[in-house]
Amino acid sequence: MVERPDNTSPAFSTPLHVGRPNTAGRETFLRLAGEMFDRGWLSNDGPLVREFEKRVAEYLGVRHCVAICNGTIALEIAIRALGMKGEVIIPSYTFIATAHALHWQHITPVFADIDPVTHNLDPAAVRRMITPRTTGIIGVHLWGRAAPVTDLEALANEYQLPLLFDAAHAFGCALNQKMIGGFGRAEVLSFHATKFFNTFEGGAIVTNDDQLAEKARLMRNFGFAGLDNVVHPGTNGKMAEVCAAMGLANFDYVDSFIETNRRNYYAYRDALTSLPGITVLGYDETQRNNFQYVVIEVGPESAANRDEIVAALNAENVLARKYFWPGCHRMEPYRVLFPHASLLLPNTTAVAERVAVLPTGTTISLEQIDFVTRLIRRVAAAA
Ligand code: T4K
């Protein structure tokens, strides 16, 4: 048990962060970075990016991985490559990048409600939001747990809409023995520093569609199809070699990162399981999970509400997060553009009010988790 050094200092002099990067593989990274300097090739489809793309595609069992500079630009490119415009249906309960990737391209995000149990899109709500202006659906595998893929695919087929998945949380996860990455027309990954598997900044579009992959490759490099030959509008979405070096170095540790996340997850869950009013979000053990988010929901039986619990943790330098409060529809510009959106998003609003995400990953110890859970027990059980 970590004890407070005195009555005024927080229990942890160094904060415990959600999203603290996993940085194993430092020697491999430095070797690869050294070779990169020797080659004098730092970006623009270099050998490390190509090797990284090959490893990701093999790992996920997909035909193509197009490495991108970050997940947000990967979303933007995938959205364009799929020809989405007008209105696109997404959850509001997601990181703001999912909505911004549309708005940034003058596409209207239409927010559909979630299932309050899974936190993922409710297919019935998606159906209700489809209009003649709808040109696509973006499902999010929130917390790494698969979105309702089968139902969304059926809806997309029925209405002839492209289906894209924001799989920013779901690297290393599977649904019914199939790795996430191979669903819909394409899926988008994030390898941001805060993800359990990171390339500093980074992302990817993964797909089994040859033409889509080709288009995405053009779009990430200004539309160049060879020297002096631009054949398509494009942007700069290229991944730098140094980022691919980090990804290749981290690849050797994917399983061990997941094992540590799993250990931490069960330490939290076992310690909090009998506490009235606190639910630790479950992972289906029959599926592959990366366990990178430890998510608690604070219900009415808890003596303290979510904000009070987060404040108590913050006071001890345990920087729990209120992801994804208050929901995209209550952030700018969507709050002003769609002032009545909440009326159709009751589950989003309720879930956003009760979720907190706790620190995990390779930089936190079981002893520290023990302190965090004792603190939650103390605050949530106080009369
Ligand atoms: N779709 C979804 C569903 C996503 O969750 C995300 C990103 C995206 C799309 C877009 O992908 P990217 O374009 O980012 O590749 C963080 C991340 O920046 C973001 O990548 C992530 N989702 C989101 C869930 O979390 P913030 O605004 O919470 O970041 P920040 O700066 O508050 O940092 C989070 C925590 O991590 C803090 O406790 C500090 C800690 N941290 C962060 C960094 C960068 C470290 O300890 N070390 C670090 O190097 O968004």
Side-chain angles (χ1 to χ4, degrees):
M1 167 90 180
V2 180
E3 297 295 348
R4 296 184 73 147
D6 55 55
N7 285 336
T8 50
S9 316
F12 298 103
S13 51
T14 307
L16 299 186
H17 286 284
V18 170
R20 198 87 184 138
N22 295 325
T23 54
R26 194 181 290 210
E27 275 126 54
T28 308
F29 168 74
L30 292 173
R31 177 177 58 75
L32 293 172
E35 291 169 9
M36 175 193 78
F37 282 122
D38 292 344
R39 261 191 308 274
W41 196 272
L42 306 186
S43 187
N44 291 18
D45 208 19
L48 294 176
V49 165
R50 285 184 178 216
E51 175 66 17
F52 178 67
E53 289 179 329
K54 196 162 152 273
R55 294 229 19 207
V56 172
E58 276 169 14
Y59 179 69
L60 300 182
V62 294
R63 286 171 64 80
H64 304 282
C65 167
V66 183
I68 307 282
C69 55
N70 62 57
T72 307
I73 302 292
L75 275 171
E76 289 180 17
I77 292 175
I79 286 164
R80 260 182 197 252
L82 286 166
M84 294 182 185
K85 45 191 186 306
E87 294 179 357
V88 171
I89 298 174
I90 62 168
S92 170
Y93 193 58
T94 176
F95 188 59
I96 196 70
T98 320
H100 279 356
L102 292 164
H103 178 77
W104 197 250
Q105 311 193 77
H106 306 289
I107 301 169
T108 305
V110 172
F111 299 116
D113 210 3
I114 52 167
D115 177 327
V117 175
T118 67
H119 297 186
N120 275 318
L121 270 179
D122 170 7
V126 173
R127 181 183 284 282
R128 284 196 294 275
M129 305 311 277
I130 294 175
T131 73
R133 291 179 300 281
T134 307
T135 65
I137 301 170
I138 304 179
V140 179
H141 305 296
L142 207 80
W143 315 130
R145 304 191 314 170
V149 168
T150 312
D151 288 350
L152 292 178
E153 280 177 344
L155 260 181
N157 286 338
E158 184 182 334
Y159 288 90
Q160 296 290 295
L161 296 169
L163 176 63
L164 174 67
F165 285 104
D166 177 340
H169 297 180
F171 188 65
C173 301
L175 174 65
N176 300 332
Q177 323 313 326
K178 182 174 167 184
M179 294 299 276
I180 286 180
F183 295 106
R185 292 280 304 281
E187 305 211 43
V188 165
L189 302 163
S190 166
F191 306 124
H192 183 258
T194 55
K195 299 294 185 286
F196 87 97
F197 172 84
N198 83 86
T199 62
F200 301 134
E201 287 274 359
I205 300 166
V206 285
T207 181
N208 289 311
D209 182 326
D210 298 350
Q211 284 178 343
L212 189 67
E214 187 49 36
K215 213 169 179 183
R217 280 186 194 286
L218 285 172
M219 286 179 159
R220 81 165 170 189
N221 187 28
F222 315 102
F224 271 109
L227 286 183
D228 309 323
N229 185 24
V230 173
V231 297
H232 206 282
T235 184
N236 183 354
K238 289 173 272 109
M239 177 181 270
E241 285 286 273
V242 71
C243 293
M246 184 66 166
L248 289 168
N250 270 335
F251 237 116
D252 297 336
Y253 296 87
V254 173
D255 290 343
S256 92
F257 291 156
I258 291 178
E259 199 39 50
T260 303
N261 284 347
R262 179 203 295 275
R263 176 204 72 175
N264 292 350
Y265 170 78
Y266 282 108
Y268 275 116
R269 207 198 63 173
D270 293 349
L272 295 173
T273 203
S274 60
L275 186 58
I278 303 289
T279 315
V280 180
L281 201 82
Y283 289 100
D284 181 349
E285 273 291 343
T286 65
Q287 310 291 344
R288 255 179 98 133
N289 302 296
N290 60 29
F291 296 94
Q292 76 173 311
Y293 291 103
V294 178
V295 180
I296 60 168
E297 289 189 56
V298 183
E301 308 82 31
S302 169
N305 65 28
R306 186 273 310 269
D307 289 357
E308 290 163 339
I309 290 177
V310 169
L313 290 169
N314 286 354
E316 304 294 359
N317 245 343
V318 179
L319 303 185
R321 297 293 297 260
K322 298 195 278 189
Y323 290 146
F324 290 100
W325 182 83
C328 295
H329 68 291
R330 293 199 283 170
M331 291 180 162
E332 299 301 351
Y334 314 108
R335 180 167 51 179
V336 166
L337 290 173
F338 317 118
H340 307 300
S342 291
L343 294 173
L344 292 174
L345 301 168
N347 295 335
T348 300
T349 307
V351 169
E353 294 296 331
R354 57 181 189 241
V355 161
V357 177
L358 304 174
T360 185
T362 55
T363 60
I364 189 167
S365 67
L366 289 175
E367 189 192 29
Q368 290 169 325
I369 290 174
D370 181 60
F371 177 87
V372 174
T373 55
R374 280 168 197 262
L375 181 60
I376 293 173
R377 291 193 79 88
R378 200 158 66 223
V379 180

